[in-house]
């Protein structure tokens, strides 16, 4: 059920991205992840060698870390592929 829901979400996102941006284009990802160096590094590694600008900020209590990634991608499919890669990191929330 969850994968069907996410596939519908990605189809809708692809249409929205195609309609609202000209490609290649900069795209801003926002993620929230439990503060854990290994999980943060996993996300950073996904965007390694892409020219991405990555910023992170811990929550007030230090429990979570928000990660913003700005990267130039060639198509809506590339945006979705990165979302799917990051989605494999345990505990990550994509905004």
């Amino acid at each position: 059920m969850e994968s069907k829901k996410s596939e519908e979400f990605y189809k809708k996102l692809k249409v929205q991205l195609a309609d609202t941006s000209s490609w290649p284009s900069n795209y801003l990802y926002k993620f929230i992840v439990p503060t854990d160096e290994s999980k943060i590094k996993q996300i950073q590694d996904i965007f390694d060698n892409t020219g991405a600008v990555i910023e992170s900020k811990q929550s007030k209590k230090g429990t979570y870390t928000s990660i913003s990634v700005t990267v130039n991608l060639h198509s809506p499919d590339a945006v979705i592929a990165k979302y799917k890669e990051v989605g494999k990191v345990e505990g990550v929330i994509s905004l």
Side-chain angles (χ1 to χ4, degrees):
M1 177 84 179
E2 183 63 33
S3 64
K4 183 178 181 185
K5 180 181 175 188
S6 62
E7 284 306 314
E8 289 176 17
F9 168 78
Y10 289 128
K11 283 181 185 178
K12 186 175 179 181
L13 177 62
K14 182 177 178 177
V15 170
Q16 288 176 333
L17 291 171
D19 288 347
T20 59
S21 300
S22 58
W23 297 94
S25 182
N26 283 337
Y27 188 79
L28 174 63
Y29 292 93
K30 289 189 177 260
F31 306 107
I32 296 176
V33 66
T35 299
D36 175 337
E37 283 302 316
S38 67
K39 291 179 182 182
I40 294 167
K41 182 160 177 20
Q42 279 181 282
I43 293 172
Q44 290 172 338
D45 288 347
I46 289 169
F47 292 95
D48 197 22
N49 297 321
T50 62
V53 176
I54 301 173
E55 298 175 16
S56 61
K57 181 180 176 186
Q58 278 193 9
S59 64
K60 195 177 279 189
K61 293 182 182 178
T63 311
Y64 294 96
T65 299
S66 67
I67 301 173
S68 299
V69 181
T70 304
V71 62
N72 189 285
L73 296 170
H74 296 290
S75 69
D77 289 327
V79 171
I80 291 167
K82 290 294 185 190
Y83 269 124
K84 288 181 178 180
E85 276 186 77
V86 172
K88 295 176 185 172
V89 177
E90 185 180 334
V92 72
I93 299 169
S94 299
L95 302 177

